[in-house]
Amino acid sequence: MHDPVTGSRQQQRHVCRCSRVIAVLAAALLACMPAFSGIAGQPSTEYRIKAAFLYNFTSFVTWPEEFAGQTGFTLCVFGDDPFGVLLDRLAGKSVKNTKLVVRRLESLALLDQCQLVFISEISSEQLGATLALLHRLPVLTVSDMHGFTELGGIIEFRIIDNKVRFDINLNAAESAGLTISSKLLSLATRFRQND
């Protein structure tokens, strides 16, 4: 006998799975777009793609349960902001059953209040201090600084064949208490993990 409640739940799960697959495909499509420079005064296509990736990453990373009680999902930019208005356009969108908040930070003081932080081009001393502060905190660290994942960052954007790609450091993600979906790992150029 057909149970309408069970059927409805199964349909909701199917819709949720389809939505996730669509998001992965959208991210993959964006990754294939060339990273050409933008018009003067506007963010480049490269940073449009990276902004889309930052938002999509939130669907494929699981934060610890205590995050569920928060009133907003905070995406921070630390250092010079290469995104301009692109991230502002994402503010208010739904993330983890809450709303996305975008903050730009100039000091380390509030970094521990972010769930995701994009670390822009900063000095190696600042980078070391930033990663040391965030080590073992549930913060997804992302940057396009060369060697970021080797230094302990979680996701590093790279340009390969004029396209935006990314590497993942699973060790750093696990230390932060974050779980990265196998779907996101499948899109990574390479990832580091425990031996």
Side-chain angles (χ1 to χ4, degrees):
M1 184 172 175
H2 178 68
D3 180 356
V5 174
T6 304
S8 176
R9 286 186 188 142
Q10 289 174 339
Q11 186 176 12
Q12 287 173 341
R13 284 190 204 115
H14 177 71
V15 168
C16 188
R17 277 194 298 269
C18 287
S19 297
R20 288 184 182 142
V21 170
I22 289 168
V24 169
L25 293 175
L29 177 63
L30 283 169
C32 294
M33 292 173 62
F36 297 128
S37 297
I39 298 168
Q42 294 183 4
S44 67
T45 301
E46 173 186 344
Y47 281 95
R48 291 176 193 276
I49 295 167
K50 289 177 180 178
F53 268 124
L54 290 178
Y55 180 71
N56 281 321
F57 287 158
T58 66
S59 297
F60 300 98
V61 175
T62 303
W63 276 259
E65 283 186 25
E66 56 267 25
F67 167 74
Q70 307 231 352
T71 55
F73 183 99
T74 306
L75 187 162
C76 300
V77 177
F78 181 58
D80 292 333
D81 180 5
F83 296 99
V85 298
L86 295 173
L87 294 181
D88 296 322
R89 292 177 186 154
L90 295 174
K93 284 187 171 278
S94 179
V95 174
K96 306 289 183 190
N97 298 316
T98 187
K99 299 293 181 188
L100 180 68
V101 176
V102 176
R103 299 182 73 179
R104 292 162 179 89
L105 305 177
E106 296 179 7
S107 74
L108 298 175
L110 300 175
L111 277 177
D112 60 348
Q113 295 179 21
C114 308
Q115 280 75 46
L116 188 160
V117 61
F118 179 85
I119 302 171
S120 192
E121 197 68 36
I122 56 177
S123 70
S124 56
E125 293 80 16
Q126 277 186 305
L127 180 59
T130 303
L131 292 176
L133 173 72
L134 296 176
H135 182 66
R136 298 193 182 280
L137 290 178
V139 178
L140 179 65
T141 55
V142 183
S143 182
D144 50 15
M145 294 179 68
H146 179 70
F148 182 69
T149 52
E150 293 168 9
L151 296 171
I154 299 175
I155 298 179
E156 177 183 341
F157 286 125
R158 299 169 59 213
I159 302 297
I160 300 174
D161 296 330
N162 206 34
K163 294 179 177 65
V164 177
R165 302 286 191 227
F166 58 90
D167 295 343
I168 296 176
N169 182 334
L170 274 179
N171 292 340
E174 289 169 5
S175 293
L178 305 177
T179 304
I180 297 182
S181 159
S182 59
K183 292 176 183 174
L184 187 58
L185 291 175
S186 71
L187 292 175
T189 307
R190 58 187 177 184
F191 58 91
R192 302 165 62 90
Q193 63 181 353
N194 291 323
D195 295 328

